[in-house]
Amino acid sequence: MDVNLARIVFNKMNTLEDLDKNKLPQHIAIIMDGNGRWAKQRGKLRIFGHENGVDAVHQTVESCAKLQIPFLTLYAFSTENWKRPKNEVDTLMRLLVNVLKKELKTLNKNNIRLKTIGKTDTLPKKVHKELTEVMSKTENNSGMILTLALSYGSREEIKTAVQEIAVKVKNNIISPENIDETVINTHLYAHFLPDVDLLIRTSGECRISNFLLWQIAYAELYFIDVFWPDFRENHLVQAILSYQNRERRFGKTSEQLN
Ligand code: FPP
């Protein structure tokens, strides 16, 4: 049995020290799912789950920074999440403002730069203002780039890119035969991010939910049956160990890789 796999199976409380530092994913993306069900299990309102999800965000960000993961992207609010009851949306937005205010210190302490992807101009003014402030106060940090996907939908991202490119074609700025993957990528919200290496989804659901469809073409997918508020460093390490135990062939054969 591979040594990494043995560690996952036999040691449930993995720590950062168990990881091969030469084989870390450069871009981890996380679908933080299960807040509502976590709260329901405890007979509480859904927002109680979101509030407790903040701790998991804090710990995961710190663990990734400690590991010097260059890019961490969190799916915090999708374009579809606007359809939730107004009360839940409003409370989530308030929570976001509070978290941003409170976590600025943590971001600077860990040399983290905050960025966003999504239609952030559709967010309430207060959220937009706080985001702008925290992004500007962390822009000189040179460590991990933490990206929050907010009012984000991957189809919307691709549609917007196609529209922008179409306008450039119409105005003779680009010719159709010069539209390649790089051109498309530069028009995406996430143009500053590399492809995702490891995509984690909590809560046991095994789907992508319109997240980073372009960028996950060759990502390793990891689904874990733990609700987001319970997600801890141990789980993150298990996900990375699983990643380190896989052979990424990018369409080639094993023999070619060796
Ligand atoms: C999905 O769980 C979670 C969300 C839509 C919101 C995520 C928000 C947080 C973790 C809190 C704050 C975030 C940041 C970045 C500061 P769900 O509500 O869909 O859960 P369910 O599937 O059990 O209903």
Side-chain angles (χ1 to χ4, degrees), residues 47-59:
I47 196 64
F48 184 67
H50 298 314
E51 282 163 1
N52 280 275
V54 172
D55 274 348
V57 171
H58 177 92
Q59 291 186 30

Side-chain angles (χ1 to χ4, degrees), residues 31-39 46 49-58 74-78 81 84 88 92 95-96 99-100 103 146 148 150 201-203 205 207 227-229:
I31 303 176
M32 310 180 288
D33 193 20
N35 293 352
R37 278 164 286 167
W38 185 91
R46 295 176 55 78
H50 298 314
E51 282 163 1
N52 280 275
V54 172
D55 274 348
V57 171
H58 177 92
L74 302 177
Y75 205 4
F77 194 84
S78 72
N81 286 153
R84 291 194 173 192
E88 181 172 342
L92 259 174
L95 190 62
L96 198 57
V99 171
L100 287 167
E103 296 294 333
L146 168 64
L148 297 183
L150 287 164
R201 182 177 188 141
T202 58
S203 93
E205 308 285 4
R207 52 177 174 265
F227 292 140
W228 177 252

Side-chain angles (χ1 to χ4, degrees), residues 108-119:
N108 282 329
K109 184 186 95 192
N110 289 289
N111 195 23
I112 297 169
R113 182 169 178 189
L114 184 78
K115 304 272 274 179
T116 58
I117 49 172
K119 283 179 81 174

